[in-house]
Amino acid sequence: MTFSTTTKSFRLGTRPSPMAMEQTGRFARALRLQYPDLDLEVLEITSEGDQHRGPLAEIGGKGAFTRRADQYLLDGRIEATIACAKDIPGPHDRAPGIVAGAVLPREDVADVLVLPAGQPPTTLADLPPGTRVGTSAPRRAALLKALYPRLVPVPIRGNADTRLRALDERTMGADAMIAALAGLRRLNLADRAAQILDLAVWLPAAGAGIVVIEHRADDHTTRALLAPLTHAPTRTLFDAERAALAFPVKSACRDLAVACSGAVQRCRLQPRRPATVGRNRRVTRGQPVSGRRARGCRGISPA
């Protein structure tokens, strides 16, 4: 199906944070270049996660960042939403009837160590025992416990810019923090990275560095509109990593974090079951699973 030029308006929902608005502006430029006559309206939707200052687990985990926008979408108040793929809940924790329409080119998947402004550069390995390292992600907290047991993960909340300000003003309750390199780059703050964490041991989140635009599954007009804006190799990785989140992970431990990532290579599609980090501090890498060949790409292998 091709997009009909008789459609003149397009309503896009986004969170109002500086990072969300940067990626929305980037997508808006691509959309207007593809469809010069399209009237784009951007609606800022403040999520429950943006308003809540306690632990995300109290309000349903990362779904708190998407539930309100999902409802706008399902109610027909907007045609699409835009979000970081790593912030979208797994398929078991998501309202039905929403699908990915466009997937933008992947950015860097790495996490970084960030220190207060003016502090000399150092690494996680060289931080003194007992150093408090801020993060809101269970994956990052589990990796800190597994790889750097001398350090103390502490929960933090807020958008990237407010976290950085609190870190610099020493009001965060943490001595350092972990952040996504792609996010810092979107804010032109990549120079705040004191250490880029090694992907061989510091496992990335599923969907890291990917921005996705979603729409209602039954909205064929929007699907056709978004299709030309998709980066095919990234879409292949996105689909594989989202599929990995759907794999059942059996564990006697309730405190379990999951990470996975893929890379486009010359081989058949070979996603792995997600890596896990349990309470015993053991990092377990997932085993390969058989899969079909992917469209537009000769294959995927673990990163």
Side-chain angles (χ1 to χ4, degrees):
M1 176 184 290
T2 57
F3 172 63
S4 170
T5 55
T6 59
T7 301
K8 293 297 183 181
S9 64
F10 184 78
R11 297 166 298 177
L12 177 68
T14 181
R15 291 170 59 194
S17 70
M19 189 182 303
M21 295 307 295
E22 187 280 334
Q23 63 198 28
T24 299
R26 192 152 33 97
F27 171 70
R29 289 189 291 274
L31 186 70
R32 289 177 174 129
L33 185 64
Q34 183 75 23
Y35 305 109
D37 298 328
L38 188 69
D39 179 19
L40 173 63
E41 180 183 0
V42 175
L43 281 74
E44 297 182 12
I45 303 171
T46 301
S47 72
E48 299 169 65
D50 293 318
Q51 296 172 320
H52 184 70
R53 285 291 166 261
L56 282 179
E58 295 178 353
I59 54 173
K62 65 170 63 176
F65 290 113
T66 60
R67 274 194 299 269
R68 190 166 292 165
D70 285 354
Q71 199 57 55
Y72 270 61
L73 192 57
L74 294 171
D75 289 348
R77 286 179 276 178
I78 54 178
E79 277 68 56
T81 60
I82 182 170
C84 297
K86 72 179 180 65
D87 295 332
I88 298 174
H92 58 284
D93 193 29
R94 192 82 190 282
I98 297 174
V99 296
V103 177
L104 305 188
R106 186 168 221 166
E107 302 167 76
D108 203 310
V109 303
D111 282 342
V112 298
L113 171 66
V114 181
L115 304 172
Q119 185 167 318
T122 189
T123 66
L124 280 174
D126 292 330
L127 288 173
T131 298
R132 300 167 300 171
V133 182
T135 177
S136 64
R139 171 185 59 88
R140 291 170 177 158
L143 285 167
L144 279 169
K145 292 176 182 178
L147 302 174
Y148 303 97
R150 300 176 301 105
L151 306 180
V152 182
V154 295
I156 56 175
R157 292 300 317 284
N159 297 321
D161 55 321
T162 58
R163 291 181 187 185
L164 284 168
R165 185 163 56 250
L167 180 67
D168 293 343
E169 294 172 354
R170 312 295 174 119
T171 59
M172 177 185 281
D175 308 303
M177 74 176 192
I178 305 296
L181 179 56
L184 292 181
R185 284 177 173 163
R186 289 173 198 156
L187 297 173
N188 294 317
L189 294 172
D191 60 340
R192 292 300 306 268
Q195 177 193 11
I196 298 176
L197 303 181
D198 184 0
L199 292 174
V201 291
W202 190 272
L203 309 175
I210 298 175
V211 174
V212 60
I213 297 85
E214 297 186 299
H215 63 89
R216 293 185 302 277
D218 60 358
D219 185 351
H220 304 297
T221 298
T222 297
R223 180 178 66 182
L225 181 147
L226 294 174
L229 300 170
T230 285
H231 183 248
T234 302
R235 177 63 193 248
T236 300
L237 296 174
F238 170 79
D239 288 342
E241 292 174 25
R242 294 291 294 173
L245 292 181
F247 283 123
V249 179
K250 296 181 180 180
S251 174
C253 168
R254 295 179 61 189
D255 182 14
L256 197 65
V258 176
C260 67
S261 185
V264 177
Q265 293 186 355
R266 298 172 302 147
C267 58
R268 42 177 209 280
L269 178 61
Q270 191 183 33
R272 286 194 171 208
R273 290 184 172 82
T276 57
V277 186
R279 190 175 289 163
N280 62 1
R281 298 179 181 172
R282 181 180 178 185
V283 180
T284 304
R285 291 185 175 272
Q287 295 301 309
V289 296
S290 61
R292 58 182 176 80
R293 289 184 180 274
R295 294 173 313 207
C297 170
R298 296 186 63 182
I300 291 177
S301 71

